[in-house]
Amino acid sequence: MKKIKLDIVGLSYSQTQSGAYALVLGEVAGNRRLPVIIGGFEAQSIAVEIEKMTPSRPLTHDLFKAFADTFTIKLEEVLIYNLVDGIFFAKLICNDGTKTVEIDARTSDAVALAVRFESPIYTYDFIMNTAGIVIEGNDFAFLENIENVGAYKQTETPAAEKETPAEKKEPQKNKPSPYASLTMEQLEKTLEKAIENEQYETAAKIRDEIEKRKS
């Protein structure tokens, strides 16, 4: 099967799913995008590494990276290899210098590790054909409207968290950022303080505001 190399296009906070984010992976040298709904912790972990933030204590994915480095284990690539009932399946392809091993992983964890190991991310063409979205224009506009494209999940929702039709809430209207009134200098200082206090969800939102102004 044909493999497609992916880059991280961005992270967008979900307005309809509390605490969730849309991780958007983009086809290298192409215009297809693959949105995946992931949890807040994993989104923060990805953002922390992309923005080269330095947590006061190691995050779980930092610990995994340090453990692998200590025992000379290399993450050669991440492969999103299947899509079943709207759920992505990913695996880590690792090598310790003597053998190659494939390890099953959630897509969000796999991507969080890929950015730390600087490993390539791939998927198969049939997944892009099934779940990919062809964009016209720029990625910023796409991220602004990610809620309207129906991103797929990285894993099944636990039964206790599933909503019946009667329990579903109306999508929230876009609310102004609570950081909109701050200057860029104030945003940078607030971001540093949030990281220092290990408030990574807050840091991710501040980072989104900074990126929005830079675009």
Side-chain angles (χ1 to χ4, degrees), residues 45-82:
S45 181
I46 293 170
V48 162
E49 182 62 25
I50 290 175
E51 297 299 322
K52 299 303 178 184
M53 302 176 187
T54 305
S56 58
R57 300 296 297 149
L59 301 180
T60 302
H61 299 108
D62 297 323
L63 176 62
F64 187 101
K65 172 68 163 54
F67 180 89
D69 288 344
T70 300
F71 293 96
T72 322
I73 299 170
K74 180 182 178 182
L75 176 58
E76 294 187 334
E77 69 178 72
V78 162
L79 177 62
I80 301 171
Y81 66 93
N82 207 356

Side-chain angles (χ1 to χ4, degrees), residues 26-208:
E27 177 183 25
V28 173
N31 63 345
R32 290 182 295 180
R33 301 293 180 262
L34 192 67
V36 186
I37 294 297
I38 65 175
F41 173 79
E42 293 80 9
Q44 292 159 29
S45 181
I46 293 170
V48 162
E49 182 62 25
I50 290 175
E51 297 299 322
K52 299 303 178 184
M53 302 176 187
T54 305
S56 58
R57 300 296 297 149
L59 301 180
T60 302
H61 299 108
D62 297 323
L63 176 62
F64 187 101
K65 172 68 163 54
F67 180 89
D69 288 344
T70 300
F71 293 96
T72 322
I73 299 170
K74 180 182 178 182
L75 176 58
E76 294 187 334
E77 69 178 72
V78 162
L79 177 62
I80 301 171
Y81 66 93
N82 207 356
L83 176 63
V84 180
D85 295 330
I87 300 170
F88 290 108
F89 289 78
K91 58 186 173 182
L92 311 175
I93 300 177
C94 305
N95 189 291
D96 65 355
T98 60
K99 63 180 180 296
T100 298
V101 177
E102 297 181 356
I103 302 173
D104 189 35
R106 296 188 307 167
T107 301
S108 57
D109 289 327
V111 171
L113 290 172
V115 296
R116 285 165 169 77
F117 282 89
E118 298 183 355
S119 305
I121 303 169
Y122 294 97
T123 192
Y124 289 124
D125 195 49
F126 82 89
I127 292 179
M128 294 301 292
N129 289 335
T130 301
I133 298 166
V134 178
I135 66 164
E136 296 181 2
N138 57 57
D139 281 310
F140 179 74
F142 175 77
L143 288 169
E144 285 288 293
N145 295 281
I146 191 67
E147 294 297 334
N148 300 322
V149 303
Y152 285 78
K153 297 176 290 185
Q154 62 151 337
T155 185
E156 181 60 86
T157 304
E161 296 180 8
K162 291 183 179 180
E163 294 178 331
T164 64
E167 294 173 328
K168 290 184 178 178
K169 300 177 182 179
E170 292 295 324
Q172 298 176 7
K173 295 181 179 180
N174 290 332
K175 296 180 180 179
S177 168
Y179 308 103
S181 61
L182 300 181
T183 65
M184 283 294 285
E185 182 179 358
Q186 290 172 325
L187 285 172
E188 295 288 353
K189 290 181 179 179
T190 305
L191 177 60
E192 291 178 6
K193 186 175 181 180
I195 295 172
E196 182 180 346
N197 294 329
E198 300 185 8
Q199 298 172 331
Y200 300 117
E201 182 172 356
T202 298
K205 293 178 181 179
I206 297 171
R207 178 192 60 82
D208 289 344

